[in-house]
Amino acid sequence: MSQDLRHLANAAPRIMVVDGSKLVRKLIGDVLTRELSDAVVVPCAGIAEARAALEGGAVDLVTTSLVLPDGDGIALARVVRESAGQAYVPIIVVSGDAQSHLESRRFTEDVTDYFDKALGHTALAAFIRGYVQPQPIPGARVLYVEDSKVVALATKRMLERHGLTVLHFVGVEEALEYLETHRGQDDVGCDCVLTDVYLKGALSGNDLLARLREDFGYGKRRLPVLVMTGDGNADNQSALIRAGANDLVLKPIEERLLVTKTLFQLRLARLPEPTTLDA
């Protein structure tokens, strides 16, 4: 898969919105056209309409609810993947139950990402914009913990290509020492944390997550934490989310997903408290 994000930065992205509710389709469509003025919204009531729409032309992104009149969002994702030329289109599940699905790891590899609609309209637009029109956040700092020089160099370059400042530490101990110097200040020392789970030092990514959430008392909005893992065990992945990780980045690292997830968490942390996205 290409590591270049430019193929997603369509000047007039076509966004397919699939939901059984006409009201929800209009609501999401209105949000997208207001926040992404050049976007072309393709509303579909279910899988059959989506299949017909895909035959009429490629789309740049798909949002879908979990429950559809003629199937579910997982089945829709498979249909999109099977459609000619749609192998890499981002498929986003928009649901009020997304968090529990994320925790239980029930999403398949066909689903690119999820969005919890309780986060609100503005966050939804920011989330989708991150995929179709990825833009840097000048000055945003990512505290990155990775003990492999090769992996760290490659990942650091991915993030820096998109305007992010990377503060790299080889171990949790060094990262905690740095964060300790900012404890109690308005500026906690970084805007987001990216950490591997398994590290050679005495402390792991799990330990860092626990210290940030319990000892430092930083919530998910105050300091977002993305955890990188190559562990395919669904129970272990679920435990990371329940322990306070905002999201997971599965290895091997794919630049588009890493950057999109990072930028989204950074934008979300800067937004005002959410207004509910009504179903």
Side-chain angles (χ1 to χ4, degrees):
M1 187 182 299
S2 170
Q3 299 297 315
D4 188 351
L5 297 193
R6 285 177 298 177
H7 69 287
L8 291 175
N10 190 338
R14 284 170 51 83
I15 302 173
M16 179 182 287
V17 176
V18 187
D19 197 290
S21 166
K22 184 177 180 179
L23 176 62
V24 171
R25 293 197 302 275
K26 182 178 187 307
L27 179 61
I28 295 178
D30 287 348
V31 171
L32 294 178
T33 52
R34 183 174 67 247
E35 301 291 337
L36 293 164
S37 58
D38 294 327
V40 177
V41 177
V42 182
C44 299
I47 295 175
E49 286 189 18
R51 195 189 300 272
L54 288 169
E55 290 176 357
V59 295
D60 296 286
L61 182 139
V62 175
T63 74
T64 179
S65 62
L66 278 173
V67 180
L68 297 169
D70 51 356
D72 60 23
I74 308 302
L76 172 72
R78 287 197 298 271
V79 168
V80 174
R81 297 289 176 226
E82 292 165 2
S83 176
Q86 296 295 291
Y88 304 130
V89 64
I91 300 172
I92 311 300
V93 169
V94 180
S95 170
D97 196 33
Q99 183 67 20
S100 66
H101 276 68
L102 181 70
E103 290 181 2
S104 61
R105 311 308 290 163
R106 292 200 293 271
F107 290 140
T108 70
E109 61 183 9
D110 290 323
V111 173
T112 308
D113 219 330
Y114 78 101
F115 179 84
D116 187 339
K117 64 181 179 181
L119 292 172
H121 303 168
T122 307
L124 174 61
F127 187 90
I128 292 174
R129 185 185 294 111
Y131 273 100
V132 298
Q133 294 178 348
Q135 297 174 349
I137 301 178
R141 300 156 300 169
V142 178
L143 187 153
Y144 174 39
V145 185
E146 171 61 65
D147 55 16
S148 165
K149 290 183 179 179
V150 174
V151 174
L153 181 60
T155 305
K156 189 170 182 284
R157 284 175 175 169
M158 288 180 191
L159 296 170
E160 289 177 341
R161 269 198 289 269
H162 300 279
L164 297 169
T165 297
V166 180
L167 310 171
H168 175 232
F169 296 90
V170 296
V172 171
E173 295 84 352
E174 294 89 343
L176 288 172
E177 286 179 10
Y178 169 78
L179 290 168
E180 190 66 47
T181 64
H182 293 267
R183 189 195 283 259
Q185 301 176 21
D186 290 338
D187 179 6
V188 302
C190 62
D191 301 293
C192 180
V193 170
L194 175 67
T195 182
D196 198 353
V197 175
Y198 302 108
L199 299 160
K200 295 173 184 175
L203 300 179
S204 68
N206 285 290
D207 296 317
L208 176 59
L209 185 58
R211 288 288 300 276
L212 292 175
R213 297 296 182 236
E214 297 168 18
D215 182 16
F216 283 79
Y218 296 149
K220 288 186 175 183
R221 293 287 289 273
R222 181 74 187 279
L223 185 58
V225 178
L226 289 165
V227 178
M228 300 186 300
T229 177
D231 187 346
N233 184 292
D235 290 336
N236 292 341
Q237 293 177 3
S238 299
L240 288 167
I241 297 296
R242 289 194 299 271
N246 289 61
D247 205 346
L248 306 182
V249 181
L250 302 184
K251 293 181 174 181
I253 301 299
E254 201 282 308
E255 182 171 341
R256 178 180 63 182
L257 292 182
L258 171 64
V259 173
T260 299
K261 285 175 181 286
T262 302
L263 290 178
F264 174 65
Q265 292 299 335
L266 287 166
R267 287 194 179 94
L268 183 59
R270 297 179 181 199
L271 290 175
E273 287 303 309
T275 10
T276 301
L277 181 62
D278 299 321

